[in-house]
Amino acid sequence: MVRDHAELTARLETGAPRDAGQMVGFVALAFDLDLPPVDTAPVPEIAVTLDNVGQEIVDALEAAAISQDKIDIIYRPFLSTDLEGPHMDPPITLTLSEVEADTLRVTGRARMLDAGNKSFPSITYTAQRFPGLAR
């Protein structure tokens, strides 16, 4: 997101997907998180609402919908007295889904990693990759 000025400049964690370990500018935006209820749901979901969104966010969501790329939300809490890195490392990463947008707000559901549907081990053993498996 490109803006004329940053509201906050802080250092990203060393494992950040972009600009790792660098000081970057963050722009303030009003948002609301509705935490999931305590239940036995296999994948916790939260509701995320962004108020007073600009055209740049709507354009980014439309571009993501066309490309079928997933949108990750990274929650990095910083202390105002220490901007040398987020105070949760690694930060929480959620995947946005079911997004609705209008002229005033964007609302979506975000999920944490779906560990129940992830393969284990994460390596797929094939005869092509491991020739010793072939007879």
Side-chain angles (χ1 to χ4, degrees), residues 50-70:
L50 303 174
D51 287 324
N52 299 320
V53 297
Q55 189 61 41
E56 61 190 337
I57 291 178
V58 174
D59 291 345
L61 288 171
E62 288 175 357
I66 292 169
S67 71
Q68 298 300 309
D69 288 339
K70 68 177 185 166

Side-chain angles (χ1 to χ4, degrees), residues 10-56:
R11 187 173 309 281
L12 292 179
E13 69 279 4
T14 57
R18 254 188 347 203
D19 301 324
Q22 295 182 27
M23 295 294 280
V24 298
F26 292 90
V27 177
L29 183 66
F31 69 94
D32 185 33
L33 294 175
D34 291 332
L35 297 176
V38 177
D39 62 8
T40 58
V43 181
E45 281 188 346
I46 63 170
V48 180
T49 303
L50 303 174
D51 287 324
N52 299 320
V53 297
Q55 189 61 41
E56 61 190 337

Side-chain angles (χ1 to χ4, degrees), residues 48 61 71-73 94-99 108-111:
V48 180
L61 288 171
I71 299 173
D72 285 336
I73 298 172
L94 305 157
T95 301
L96 193 61
S97 63
E98 302 173 31
V99 178
R109 310 276 316 156
R111 294 182 175 157

Side-chain angles (χ1 to χ4, degrees), residues 100-119:
E100 295 179 12
D102 61 29
T103 56
L104 297 177
R105 69 177 49 175
V106 173
T107 304
R109 310 276 316 156
R111 294 182 175 157
M112 295 184 79
L113 173 67
D114 187 359
N117 288 323
K118 199 163 174 100
S119 62

